[in-house]
Amino acid sequence: MNTDRIYLDNNATTAPTADVMGAVAHGLIKHWANPSSPHAMGQEARQALMQARTQLARMLGCKPAEVVFTSGATESNHIALRGAVGFNGRQGLVLSAAEHAGVQKLARHLAQRQQANLGWIGLTPEGTLDMAQARDLVTPHVALVSVMAANNETGVLMPIGEMARLAHAQGAMLHVDATQLIGKLPFDFDKSGADLVSLSAHKFHGPKGVGALIVRQGLNWPALYQGSQERARRGGTENLPGILGLAAATERLTMAPQAWFQHMASQTRLRDQLEQGLLSRLPGTVVFGGEATRLPNTSYLRFGHLHADVVLQRLERLGIMASSGAACSASGNEPSFVLSAMGIPREEALCAIRFSLSIQTTSAQIQTVLDRLPAELAPLMAEHAAAAGHPAFPSGAFA
Ligand code: PMP
């Protein structure tokens, strides 16, 4: 990475670490044979695949047999949602308004083809689930409830345990898109109560194009790609170099509770340093979902009424990589659907900027942002406020 740049867009993707690169190279060089081949080289590749499966299972608190390797969270989400069509003779699919754009589009596609009846759980102003609505929507007609563990834009954590109890009480399954949570907070599959869990390696310093769907043992979930690999749950020759890279990335996350505590505390400290610093230097800054329980690395905010495009231009000039929301749907002209679902007015939602940190973010980088960004934005905010008739910010507030 160019060391002059400050990368604060880790919810979009993270940089692969040296151990991950080494594991991918090892897979390409040493284990290029097909893990399904019965000869010695194939069997060595198979051994490596089994070891990677065990490593991921250990990190997630699931059984190795529950791991289905996929090309990433998008595919895992597709297996989960498409597999729910007609499950137990049911057509109902309940999902939250915070789900990833890919999940929402797929759900609408299934509904258009009359393969599913959709129920949408709305969001509270703080970005968590409207549980009263959830209780009304989860009925005995529902096959699957799909709720993400943490939102990719706000970082707000969703009540997974409660949703599992709600779904199971009605005989429905619970799918959790844990793509943004894994790597940032500990996750235990058995304790979560989820039946299906999606993840992507590149969100926690693994390679792109590889992930997994965890499928609770005994649940006969249909495949999207037919074939014999992954116990016939996902056909296609395994991406072993990618899977070895994923396993290397999980090793770092198989931590004792004390180590997790320190990991989370240091992430939160840096995020709070950034957030508090911006709030105090730039009055008029507002954090979205700031009162909710959030991922330790994510800060989603607006600088007064400055449009996100204007802020992004300034950030770019300073070499600070951030985003106006989800990388997959950030367009600039449409407000974030997550913020809209939280009831944030369009003109405020169009000002949203997301900073997302990682284990590679340093205190010095955050200090550099705090030293440089307020001087760039304060005059613009004051100008904008004056033009719009808002009270101008006190002079010197950004010194
Ligand atoms: N779900 C969530 C919550 C995500 O943030 C993302 C990535 N932005 C995905 C799913 C899709 O992951 P991938 O692009 O790796 O398939």
Side-chain angles (χ1 to χ4, degrees), residues 161-184:
E162 223 175 319
M163 290 309 299
R165 284 187 289 280
L166 207 59
H168 294 160
Q170 303 296 340
M173 298 292 111
L174 176 69
H175 166 240
V176 173
D177 178 352
T179 309
Q180 290 292 345
L181 183 120
I182 292 183
K184 296 164 190 153

Side-chain angles (χ1 to χ4, degrees), residues 55-302:
Q55 282 171 287
L56 178 59
R58 195 168 53 217
M59 191 263 280
L60 293 176
C62 69
K63 299 176 186 65
E66 292 175 320
V67 173
V68 179
F69 286 117
T70 67
S71 64
T74 301
E75 183 190 330
S76 303
N77 290 343
H78 273 246
I79 303 175
L81 265 71
R82 285 184 183 273
V85 171
F87 181 76
N88 279 348
R90 299 174 176 203
Q91 294 289 318
L93 185 55
V94 168
L95 58 163
S96 92
E99 295 313 292
H100 190 256
V103 171
Q104 298 206 15
K105 282 186 183 161
L106 171 60
R108 290 201 178 91
H109 171 83
L110 295 174
Q112 266 162 15
R113 299 194 155 206
Q114 267 115 43
Q115 291 176 320
N117 301 322
L118 305 186
W120 293 93
I121 307 171
L123 303 184
T124 66
E126 278 304 317
T128 189
L129 303 186
D130 179 337
M131 288 309 288
Q133 211 172 43
R135 277 186 284 276
D136 286 345
L137 288 168
V138 184
T139 65
H141 304 290
V142 174
L144 186 78
V145 177
S146 191
V147 168
M148 62 197 344
N151 183 257
N152 40 307
E153 293 181 19
T154 58
V156 169
L157 304 184
M158 304 298 171
I160 296 308
E162 223 175 319
M163 290 309 299
R165 284 187 289 280
L166 207 59
H168 294 160
Q170 303 296 340
M173 298 292 111
L174 176 69
H175 166 240
V176 173
D177 178 352
T179 309
Q180 290 292 345
L181 183 120
I182 292 183
K184 296 164 190 153
L185 292 176
F187 182 80
D188 187 298
F189 178 69
D190 273 346
K191 289 188 191 137
S192 75
D195 301 289
L196 300 142
V197 170
S198 300
L199 62 101
S200 246
H202 72 100
K203 302 289 186 179
F204 52 96
H205 303 283
K208 287 161 191 60
V210 62
L213 179 70
I214 313 304
V215 183
R216 189 164 52 75
Q217 200 169 37
L219 190 57
N220 192 12
W221 209 252
L224 198 58
Y225 303 146
Q226 310 299 324
S228 54
Q229 290 88 354
E230 299 296 287
R231 298 171 180 241
R233 292 171 300 184
R234 200 273 188 179
T237 304
E238 297 87 348
N239 167 13
L240 192 52
I243 291 170
L244 297 185
L246 184 159
T250 67
E251 275 301 277
R252 193 181 316 115
L253 301 171
T254 309
M255 302 193 247
Q258 187 54 29
W260 261 114
F261 183 76
Q262 280 168 11
H263 175 78
M264 293 182 297
S266 66
Q267 281 282 290
T268 311
R269 193 176 57 245
L270 285 184
R271 194 269 314 273
D272 289 352
Q273 184 189 340
L274 175 67
E275 216 164 70
Q276 295 307 324
L278 292 173
L279 286 167
S280 65
R281 288 168 173 81
L282 292 167
T285 299
V286 174
V287 178
F288 297 114
E291 299 298 314
T293 313
R294 285 182 291 164
L295 288 174
N297 81 317
T298 307
S299 183
Y300 200 30
L301 36 77
R302 67 177 169 89

Side-chain angles (χ1 to χ4, degrees), residues 18-38:
D19 50 344
V20 165
M21 293 184 215
V24 173
H26 180 75
L28 286 166
I29 296 164
K30 290 277 182 205
H31 292 305
W32 49 264
N34 191 323
S36 298
S37 295

